[in-house]
């Protein structure tokens, strides 16, 4: 099976969980199982100390070692996860220079005793020759170093070359990395270097490098003599160096594992530009590496990229170490030399890992997570109640919940109106109103705020001699006291004042059904009413214009349906507002919809598909302007093509496009 080491620039430690297959379980343990890795190195975690959570630190069966940015938020960051059942480091450091301090210590890593330090730190003369601020260099969370008995593991995230103002910082970082690696090799330690170096080694590692050089007016000599690429090729065995080697660099000390297993493979890229959707066409570059010392070349079983795993603009890269390796002329089990002495013998565990075996940089020793296995421990430590008491509480809760009325589903647009309810009272039998299915049930039209809720029993026992309030008076009171309750209310017409004599009178009847839901707001009754002019009111009889019927109001439920049906109400023409003052909700809705609706995208010329809109960020007169382009990804050539399945040459400025023209 072997031991697999995987490196991956995740572009945010939680970013992969938005993609398959990671979003199925959304746990780091499940992610590591899918990667089939025993050591995982993440770059660009983009978190700070305060953003750490249990699920990313207390991963069951795993330990972790973070290097987080000191100042910039959501920037950089490296973490190494190690499977506890396979390997346990004996030392751990943060940064390249050794000038940072271990947790809970004022001594720098480079000032610790020889038994406690990894070694290979840049000397004062080496730092002086570089001429950079090494304290600022290690403050961005770009490197974690773990030492095992077999080798030193360096997880690194190198600065990119996007900003010219950062070129000196980038070159200084790479120079320091080169010095530290060579110093470690010089003192007899083996190196395994993995991470995002932001350097393409040669032309084979860049899509259509010759075309790119031609467009940039760059020669092949200029390409290989760029400072970062030249330094990198000096470090690697077989690196292409034009001219003589730099004296201060020395001989090659590292081996490109993945390229060694696939020496002539083209298109073996690990990073793609997301803004132009270059991944489907595989127009990318190889800037993520797994490297090792030259004396470790025979240790590896396989190495490859995993371009099919989504979750970032990079893909994982791995190298698998054999179960049996040759160390100092002897064949040993790899687990024997990846753990403290005596923990494994001949690949069999003899001693369990304890807190004493953890190094100071371990994430499990961070004060916020120390001596806690998971977040469940925060709740499981509470004293439990006696069985008799807990069972009694459970029965009481069940009884109380059974007495609650059933909730009636309401739309969100009316949820804000539930602070007031209207209950219609049935008058005395002498008034001549018919009540079906109930006995002596009475209610009162009332309005109350949430803070003064009245129980339904109190409402049902109200005195029947109270006079019924008109719906119009209730509606006017609530509207003046509360005002607009939601955004949807802006598009609804204001309720028309209705004459109490022509509205629902104490002798009128309304059809109200019992659904076991919430009480019907008074405002809804007016909205559901249909108003006709007086010259048309003769079509309706007196019984239908001023009467409605109560049905099935059960005292056991005390609820009124939202679907109240009120017959047409006859009012005078003078009560109607002028047409000029009437607010048409449909017209207003259409106007607002046109204002906020996105314009119809044009169709590209090559495939007749809707274009996508992008924003110009390049400095110049067009900076900030939006434009339409073909939605398809760039092809392997990295250029727009005609009559192919890849991105065509359609380009339209958004300011020049009229959505009414075509779409």
């Amino acid at each position: 099976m072997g031991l697999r080491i995987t490196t991956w620039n995740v572009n945010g430690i939680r970013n992969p969980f938005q993609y398959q297959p990671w979003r199925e379980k959304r746990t780091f343990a499940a992610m590591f199982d899918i990667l089939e890795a025993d050591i995982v190195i993440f770059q660009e975690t983009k978190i700070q100390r305060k953003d750490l959570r249990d699920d990313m630190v207390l991963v069951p069966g795993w330990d972790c070692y973070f290097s987080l940015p000191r100042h910039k938020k959501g920037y950089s960051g490296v973490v190494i996860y190690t499977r506890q059942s396979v390997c346990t480091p004996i030392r751990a450091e943060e940064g390249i220079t050794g000038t940072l301090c271990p947790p809970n210590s004022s001594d720098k890593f480079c000032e610790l005793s020889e038994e406690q330090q990894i070694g290979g730190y840049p000397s004062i003369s080496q730092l002086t020759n570089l001429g950079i601020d090494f304290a600022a260099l290690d403050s961005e969370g770009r490197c974690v170093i773990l030492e095992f008995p077999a080798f030193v593991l360096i997880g690194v995230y190198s600065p990119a070359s996007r900003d010219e103002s950062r070129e000196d910082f980038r070159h200084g970082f790479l120079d320091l990395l080169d010095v530290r690696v060579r110093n470690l090799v010089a003192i007899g330690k083996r190196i395994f270097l993995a991470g995002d170096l932001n350097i393409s080694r040669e032309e084979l590692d860049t899509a259509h490098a010759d075309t790119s050089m031609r467009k940039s007016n760059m020669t092949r000599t200029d390409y290989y003599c760029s400072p970062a690429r030249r330094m990198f090729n000096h470090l690697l065995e077989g690196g292409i160096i034009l001219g003589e080697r730099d004296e201060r660099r020395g001989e090659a000390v590292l081996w490109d594992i993945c390229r060694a297993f696939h020496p002539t493979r083209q298109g073996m890229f690990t990073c793609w530009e997301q803004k132009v959707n270059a991944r489907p066409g595989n127009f990318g570059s190889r800037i993520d590496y797994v490297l090792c010392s030259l004396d470790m070349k025979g240790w590896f079983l396989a190495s490859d990229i995993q371009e099919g795993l989504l979750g970032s603009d990079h893909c994982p890269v791995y190298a698998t170490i054999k179960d049996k390796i040759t160390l100092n002329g002897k064949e040993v089990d790899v687990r024997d030399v990846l753990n403290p002495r005596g923990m494994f013998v001949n690949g069999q565990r003899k001693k369990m890992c304890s807190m004493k075996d953890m190094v100071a940089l371990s994430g499990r020793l961070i004060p916020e997570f120390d001596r806690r296995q998971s977040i469940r421990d925060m709740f499981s430590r509470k004293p439990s109640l006696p069985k008799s008491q807990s069972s009694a509480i459970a029965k009481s809760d069940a009884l109380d919940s059974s007495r609650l009325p059933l909730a009636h589903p309401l739309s969100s647009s009316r949820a804000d109106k539930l602070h007031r309810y209207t209950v219609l009272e049935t008058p005395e039998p002498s008034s001549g109103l018919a009540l079906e299915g109930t006995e002596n049930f009475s209610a009162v039209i009332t309005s109350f705020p949430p803070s003064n809720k009245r129980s339904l029993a109190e409402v049902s026992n109200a005195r029947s001699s109270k006079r019924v309030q008109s719906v119009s008076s209730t509606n006017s009171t609530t509207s003046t006291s509360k005002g607009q309750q939601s955004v949807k209310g802006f598009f609804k017409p204001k309720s028309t004042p209705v004459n109490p004599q022509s509205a629902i009178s104490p002798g009128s009847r309304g059809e109200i059904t019992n659904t076991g839901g919430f009480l019907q707001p008074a405002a809804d009754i007016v909205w559901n009413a249909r108003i006709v002019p007086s010259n048309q009111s003769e079509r309706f009889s007196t019984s239908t214009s001023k009467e409605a019927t109560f049905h099935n109001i059960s005292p056991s439920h005390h609820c009124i349906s939202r679907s109240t049906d009120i017959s047409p109400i006859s009012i005078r023409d003078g009560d109607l507002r002028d047409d000029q003052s009437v607010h048409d909700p449909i017209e207003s809705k259409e106007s607002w919809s046109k204002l906020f609706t996105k314009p119809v995208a044009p169709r590209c010329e090559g495939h007749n598909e809707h274009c996508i809109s992008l924003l110009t960020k390049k400095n110049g007169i067009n900076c900030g302007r939006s434009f339409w382009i073909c939605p398809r990804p760039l092809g392997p050539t990295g250029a727009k093509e005609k009559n192919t399945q890849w991105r065509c040459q359609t380009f339209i400025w958004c300011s020049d496009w009229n959505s009414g023209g075509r779409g």
Side-chain angles (χ1 to χ4, degrees):
M1 181 64 179
L3 180 141
R4 176 176 290 190
I5 303 176
T6 299
T7 177
W8 190 12
N9 183 321
V10 291
N11 194 22
I13 194 169
R14 293 195 182 277
N15 188 52
F17 293 131
Q18 304 176 33
Y19 301 84
Q20 289 287 9
W22 324 113
R23 65 182 175 191
E24 292 296 331
K25 295 185 178 180
R26 291 181 173 270
T27 64
F28 288 95
M31 176 189 291
F32 301 154
D33 290 341
I34 293 174
L35 290 172
E36 298 180 346
D38 301 295
I39 299 176
V40 180
I41 307 164
F42 284 158
Q43 300 91 44
E44 270 199 286
T45 55
K46 294 185 176 181
I47 56 172
Q48 290 183 300
R49 170 76 173 268
K50 62 182 181 62
D51 301 321
L52 294 175
R53 297 293 182 267
D54 282 18
D55 65 324
M56 67 177 66
V57 177
L58 304 178
V59 182
W62 290 78
D63 207 345
C64 58
Y65 310 88
F66 284 89
S67 178
L68 305 174
R70 298 291 196 275
H71 308 295
K72 292 186 178 182
K73 297 181 179 179
Y75 182 78
S76 187
V78 174
V79 59
I80 300 180
Y81 288 91
T82 59
R83 193 185 295 271
Q84 294 174 334
S85 62
V86 176
C87 56
T88 302
I90 57 177
R91 298 180 187 91
E93 291 183 4
E94 179 185 5
I96 299 177
T97 63
T99 56
L100 298 179
C101 298
N104 305 319
S105 176
S106 59
D107 296 330
K108 300 178 181 179
F109 285 111
C110 61
E111 297 174 350
L112 299 176
S113 62
E114 293 185 1
E115 294 77 12
Q116 295 177 305
Q117 64 179 217
I118 295 177
Y121 307 106
S123 63
I124 297 177
S125 60
Q126 290 173 327
L127 293 175
T128 304
N129 293 334
L130 295 176
I132 59 174
D133 185 1
F134 49 85
L137 186 144
D138 274 345
S139 67
E140 293 190 357
R142 293 186 175 274
C143 182
V144 174
I145 304 177
L146 303 183
E147 183 176 5
F148 301 92
F151 57 82
V152 175
L153 172 64
I154 303 177
V156 67
Y157 173 51
S158 174
S161 60
R162 297 189 180 96
D163 191 352
E164 294 181 358
S165 63
R166 296 266 295 176
E167 281 299 309
D168 291 340
F169 182 88
R170 178 173 184 250
H171 295 155
F173 182 91
L174 293 173
D175 286 337
L176 268 179
L177 180 63
D178 178 72
V179 169
R180 185 71 187 273
V181 169
R182 292 182 182 277
N183 289 351
L184 286 169
V185 173
I187 62 177
K189 295 194 176 182
R190 302 172 189 85
I191 305 298
F192 189 100
L193 175 63
D196 177 8
L197 297 180
N198 272 308
I199 305 172
S200 55
R201 174 182 171 180
E202 56 189 36
E203 295 168 280
L204 190 61
D205 297 317
T206 304
H208 296 275
D210 53 347
T211 304
S212 301
M213 288 188 290
R214 189 166 53 251
K215 289 182 178 179
S216 303
N217 295 324
M218 181 185 297
T219 64
R220 187 170 184 269
T221 302
D222 296 334
Y223 178 82
Y224 281 104
C225 289
S226 62
R229 186 170 291 108
R230 185 173 178 84
M231 182 280 302
F232 190 42
N233 280 309
H234 271 79
L235 197 62
L236 296 177
E237 183 183 57
I240 300 177
I241 302 173
L242 300 183
E244 297 182 359
R245 296 183 65 91
D246 299 340
E247 293 182 1
R248 66 186 182 94
R249 298 293 183 188
E251 298 298 323
V253 295
L254 295 181
W255 186 56
D256 189 349
I257 306 172
C258 196
R259 178 55 72 188
F261 277 90
H262 311 277
T264 60
R265 178 178 170 185
Q266 296 183 353
M268 191 172 66
F269 305 135
T270 63
C271 179
W272 303 266
E273 181 62 50
Q274 283 186 319
K275 293 180 181 179
V276 296
N277 195 18
R279 189 165 187 170
N282 197 28
F283 185 79
S285 58
R286 187 171 75 103
I287 59 177
D288 303 87
Y289 298 89
V290 283
L291 314 172
C292 71
S293 299
L294 300 181
D295 54 355
M296 296 173 60
K297 293 168 64 174
W299 288 17
F300 295 93
L301 184 65
S303 179
D304 204 349
I305 65 173
Q306 296 177 285
E307 69 275 19
L309 293 177
L310 303 180
S312 171
D313 55 340
H314 295 245
C315 75
V317 184
Y318 72 87
T320 305
I321 301 178
K322 300 176 182 178
D323 289 327
K324 301 289 185 178
I325 61 175
T326 302
L327 186 65
N328 299 326
K330 297 181 180 179
E331 187 179 75
V332 297
D333 192 286
V334 68
R335 287 170 176 77
D336 295 353
V337 292
L338 284 180
N339 291 275
R341 180 175 297 179
M343 189 170 290
F344 275 84
V345 177
N346 296 326
Q348 301 296 322
R349 180 177 288 277
K350 300 298 182 180
K351 176 185 174 183
M352 296 302 296
C353 181
S354 63
M355 295 289 291
K356 296 180 180 180
D357 299 314
M358 292 185 180
V359 295
L361 198 63
S362 171
R364 292 181 175 270
L365 298 182
I366 298 176
E368 298 94 305
F369 308 97
D370 187 18
R371 301 187 184 280
R372 281 201 296 112
Q373 293 183 354
S374 67
I375 196 172
R376 296 186 182 91
D377 296 343
M378 298 172 61
F379 305 96
S380 62
R381 292 177 181 176
K382 295 182 180 180
S384 58
L385 295 174
K387 292 185 178 180
S388 59
Q389 185 177 357
S390 60
S391 60
I393 293 176
K395 291 181 180 179
S396 176
D397 291 342
L399 183 60
D400 291 342
S401 61
S402 64
R403 295 175 179 175
L404 293 175
L406 296 175
H408 187 79
L410 286 177
S411 62
S412 59
S413 61
R414 298 194 178 182
D416 52 71
K417 298 185 180 66
L418 291 180
H419 66 276
R420 62 182 187 275
Y421 304 96
T422 300
V423 182
L424 300 179
E425 178 190 29
T426 58
E428 296 292 335
S430 59
S431 62
L433 290 178
L435 184 66
E436 300 178 6
T438 60
E439 295 181 1
N440 299 328
F441 176 73
S442 60
V444 181
I445 295 180
T446 183
S447 176
F448 47 90
S451 58
N452 298 323
K453 292 183 179 179
R454 297 177 58 186
S455 65
L456 296 175
E458 293 177 357
V459 176
S460 62
N461 294 330
R463 293 189 308 168
S464 60
S465 61
K466 290 185 178 180
R467 188 175 59 181
V468 179
Q469 299 179 4
S470 64
V471 176
S472 61
S473 62
T474 305
N475 194 27
S476 62
T477 302
T478 56
S479 62
T480 57
S481 60
K482 292 297 180 181
Q484 182 179 321
Q485 297 296 317
S486 65
V487 176
K488 189 175 181 180
F490 176 81
F491 301 99
K492 291 188 176 182
K494 297 180 180 179
S495 57
T496 305
V498 183
N499 189 346
Q501 297 298 330
S502 60
I504 301 176
S505 63
S508 62
R509 296 176 295 176
E511 180 178 341
I512 304 176
T513 60
N514 175 19
T515 61
F518 290 105
L519 300 181
Q520 170 74 8
D524 285 356
I525 298 179
V526 175
W527 292 340
N528 292 334
R530 184 152 55 94
I531 303 175
V532 297
S534 58
N535 57 0
Q536 299 181 13
S537 61
E538 295 179 358
R539 301 179 184 179
F540 303 94
S541 62
T542 305
S543 60
T544 59
S545 63
K546 294 186 178 181
E547 292 185 4
T549 307
F550 288 83
H551 288 292
N552 285 337
I553 303 180
S554 175
S556 61
H557 291 83
H558 312 296
C559 299
I560 297 179
S561 170
R562 295 175 63 251
S563 59
T564 304
D565 183 16
I566 298 181
S567 301
I569 302 175
S570 176
I571 60 175
R572 295 185 302 273
D573 291 337
D575 293 334
L576 291 175
R577 294 175 294 177
D578 296 337
D579 293 340
Q580 297 179 353
S581 62
V582 174
H583 182 70
D584 190 350
I586 300 178
E587 182 179 355
S588 299
K589 184 177 181 180
E590 292 178 351
S591 300
W592 283 100
S593 298
K594 292 179 180 179
L595 181 62
F596 291 106
T597 301
K598 293 183 179 180
V600 178
R603 294 182 180 271
C604 66
E605 299 174 357
H607 314 98
N608 198 29
E609 298 177 358
H610 284 291
C611 295
I612 58 174
S613 176
L614 298 178
L615 184 68
T616 305
K617 295 185 178 180
K618 185 178 181 180
N619 294 331
I621 59 175
N622 291 321
C623 183
R625 293 186 66 184
S626 300
F627 57 90
W628 299 101
I629 61 172
C630 176
R632 297 200 175 189
L634 286 175
T637 62
K640 300 177 181 178
E641 305 174 4
K642 289 184 178 180
N643 303 323
T644 66
Q645 60 176 327
W646 305 110
R647 178 169 295 173
C648 65
Q649 297 179 339
T650 301
F651 181 91
I652 305 173
W653 290 111
C654 291
S655 57
D656 298 337
W657 167 248
N658 181 10
S659 60
R662 59 190 174 112

